[in-house]
Amino acid sequence: LLSVHEFTAAIVIIAVSLPSYVAQFIAAIVFVLAIDTILRGEEFDVRKLVEASLKKLWPVLLVVALTGLAIMAGLILFIIPGLIFSVWFAFAYYEAILADVRGTEALKRSRDLSSGRFWGVLWRLVASTIFWSVVVWLFMSAIFMLFGAVTAPWKMVVGGEPGASFAAAFLEIVANAVQAASAPLFTAIGVLLYRAMQVTYAAREKVSSQS
């Protein structure tokens, strides 16, 4: 039902946005690989990480899509199944990237990692995310307050339409920059938790096999 003009605009938006989203997704995979390499005390080559990320792109996208569909289905049925699925499949993304596990097998292995430790995993996921989100928010708020204090003597300048537009654009750039800079932090949280879960899972399986 779109008019020709609206349809053309929609096509242009998709054509411009899609490469950006793909680039962001590749960068996210690179972050995971780089942080995991650093945590293992090894050096990495950015070019090689990008090449590896390109090879992993479609398998990881599939796992992310399957995870999203599973969680969405759980939320549609009832809130509680959606919460359970969110914890079960929280590590499928890292299984796909760091262990090269594909499709539903990544979801199964993620569920195995959190099996019997639902509340512990949920607490670590929520508490770490909330804590660092607050830290980032406070840092961003401090920048905004400082900007407001600095520009206070020139209210006549920034109070008009051109000045207000400039101030809004500047603050938007700052907010995006802070969020981009904090992305590796949240990635590191996920990688650390995933590796810790792997260690404890291996130890639990070893005890089970011995008994």
Side-chain angles (χ1 to χ4, degrees), residues 127-202:
S128 59
T129 301
I130 291 178
F131 174 79
W132 289 110
S133 295
V134 170
V135 170
V136 172
W137 177 78
L138 290 174
F139 179 73
M140 194 180 303
S141 298
I143 294 177
F144 288 174
M145 291 175 64
L146 179 62
F147 179 80
V150 170
T151 58
W154 296 278
K155 286 185 178 179
M156 294 299 294
V157 177
V158 299
E161 184 63 29
S165 299
F166 171 77
F170 175 79
L171 294 178
E172 182 71 18
I173 291 173
V174 170
N176 289 334
V178 172
Q179 291 175 1
S182 63
L185 171 64
F186 291 101
T187 301
I189 293 172
V191 174
L192 282 168
L193 185 55
Y194 168 70
R195 287 306 188 189
M197 295 294 291
Q198 278 191 320
V199 171
T200 55
Y201 177 78

Side-chain angles (χ1 to χ4, degrees), residues 6 29 59 66 69 87-88 113 142 152 156 165 183 192:
E6 292 171 334
I29 298 175
L66 291 173
L69 289 173
V87 175
W88 277 2
L113 285 179
M156 294 299 294
S165 299
L192 282 168

Side-chain angles (χ1 to χ4, degrees), residues 31-89:
F31 274 140
V32 172
L33 293 173
I35 290 173
D36 185 66
T37 304
I38 292 172
L39 292 175
R40 288 187 279 108
E42 301 175 3
E43 296 183 357
F44 62 85
D45 185 323
V46 175
R47 182 178 60 82
K48 291 182 179 179
L49 290 186
V50 172
E51 292 175 354
S53 300
L54 292 173
K55 294 178 181 178
K56 296 172 183 287
L57 177 61
W58 296 114
V60 175
L61 272 173
L62 176 59
V63 169
V64 170
L66 291 173
T67 303
L69 289 173
I71 295 174
M72 187 181 301
L75 291 174
I76 291 175
L77 293 174
F78 294 101
I79 298 298
I80 293 178
L83 178 62
I84 293 173
F85 292 166
S86 297
V87 175
W88 277 2
F89 307 139

Side-chain angles (χ1 to χ4, degrees), residues 93-131:
Y93 175 69
Y94 301 102
E95 286 285 352
I97 297 175
L98 299 177
D100 288 323
V101 182
R102 301 192 173 195
T104 56
E105 182 63 21
L107 276 67
K108 179 181 178 298
R109 288 183 56 165
S110 175
R111 185 192 61 190
D112 291 341
L113 285 179
S114 58
S115 177
R117 300 181 285 181
F118 177 84
W119 294 110
V121 174
L122 178 62
W123 161 250
R124 285 166 175 78
L125 288 171
V126 173
S128 59
T129 301
I130 291 178
F131 174 79

